[in-house]
């Protein structure tokens, strides 16, 4: 779901950059510095997952893992995803520097929203926890794809077919992401339950 350079108008680029700057500043303030390694590992997972593109018609789809990042990191998803997208732009020319703000906002805001919507259920009993984790993975990709499609739509009517294709192509990805997020959260709850302790984040 990378938007390339030269597609979006300046107003959208500036708006995305401003929103990402605000989200990143808040994310950095709320990082528990004892968990910096966790932030780095999840940024690396996002970096690798979204490098593997599968062509689907006129667009391509790939794993995102932003829902999992949101579950664990909350607002710190912003700096984690920003760093991953920056490295992709610099090393592989995916997206670009000018559109980095929009791409980061589209990928980072939905998992932060899902984190706060489902955080209570994520620390509950098994069935609610599994359902909440699946919802985080599914909805994060759905909302990110919708924001990306909206961004393309703002670039002009000529991009609307591409925006529609992008949403359709990521429907199976949403289900896969939900399953992956549910499995990982279930595993972490058994072996590293402290990773899912959001009490420290709640006081920041």
């Amino acid at each position: 779901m990378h938007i390339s350079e030269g597609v979006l108008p300046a107003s959208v680029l500036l708006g995305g950059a401003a929103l990402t700057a605000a989200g990143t500043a808040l994310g950095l303030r709320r990082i528990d510095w004892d968990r910096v390694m966790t932030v780095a590992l999840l940024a690396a997972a996002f970096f690798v997952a979204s490098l593997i593109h599968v062509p689907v018609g006129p667009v391509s789809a790939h794993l995102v893992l932003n829902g999992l990042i949101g579950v664990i990191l909350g607002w710190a998803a912003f700096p984690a995803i920003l760093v991953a997208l920056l490295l992709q732009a610099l090393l592989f020319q995916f997206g670009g520097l000018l559109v980095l703000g929009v791409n980061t906002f589209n990928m980072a805001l939905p998992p932060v929203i899902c984190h706060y919507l489902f955080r209570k259920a994520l620390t509950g009993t098994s069935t609610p926890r599994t359902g909440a984790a699946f919802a985080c993975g599914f909805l994060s990709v759905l909302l990110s794809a919708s924001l990306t499609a909206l961004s393309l739509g703002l670039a002009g009517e000529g991009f609307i077919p591409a925006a529609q294709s992008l949403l359709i192509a990521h429907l199976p990805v949403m289900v896969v992401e939900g399953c992956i997020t549910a499995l990982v959260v279930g595993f972490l709850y058994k072996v590293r339950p402290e990773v899912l302790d959001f009490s420290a984040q709640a006081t920041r």
Side-chain angles (χ1 to χ4, degrees):
M1 284 186 279
H2 300 81
I3 299 177
S4 301
E5 299 279 28
V7 173
L8 300 178
S11 58
V12 177
L13 294 174
L14 291 172
L19 291 169
T20 291
T24 301
L26 186 55
L28 290 172
R29 286 183 59 190
R30 296 197 173 197
I31 286 179
D32 181 348
W33 294 105
D34 293 332
R35 303 178 71 192
V36 169
M37 185 61 70
T38 302
V39 177
L41 288 172
L42 289 170
F46 179 91
F47 175 86
V48 173
S50 52
L51 283 178
I52 304 171
H53 291 244
V54 178
V56 182
V59 297
S60 62
H62 58 78
L63 288 177
V64 183
L65 301 184
N66 61 339
L68 179 61
I69 291 175
V71 165
I72 298 173
L73 299 183
W75 277 104
F78 264 92
I81 291 174
L82 174 62
V83 169
L85 290 178
L86 175 62
L87 290 175
Q88 288 182 355
L90 293 174
L91 298 176
F92 302 105
Q93 288 74 56
F94 287 168
L97 296 179
L98 291 178
V99 78
L100 181 62
V102 174
N103 282 335
T104 300
F105 179 77
N106 291 345
M107 292 295 102
L109 181 64
V112 172
I113 292 173
C114 289
H115 172 90
Y116 286 98
L117 282 176
F118 297 104
R119 62 187 298 166
K120 288 186 178 179
L122 287 167
T123 56
T125 55
S126 179
T127 300
R129 184 175 64 248
T130 300
F134 179 89
C136 283
F138 184 95
L139 290 176
S140 291
V141 177
L142 173 60
L143 294 174
S144 289
S146 299
L147 285 174
T148 303
L150 176 61
S151 301
L152 289 172
L154 292 174
E157 294 183 2
F159 291 97
I160 291 178
Q164 294 172 336
S165 297
L166 182 143
L167 277 172
I168 294 171
H170 281 83
L171 287 174
V173 177
M174 297 170 197
V175 177
V176 173
E177 291 268 347
C179 293
I180 290 174
T181 304
L183 288 171
V184 173
V185 167
F187 176 76
L188 288 174
Y189 192 81
K190 292 179 180 178
V191 301
R192 293 286 303 277
E194 67 274 12
V195 173
L196 301 174
D197 180 8
F198 306 129
S199 57
Q201 296 180 31
T203 61
R204 291 174 179 270

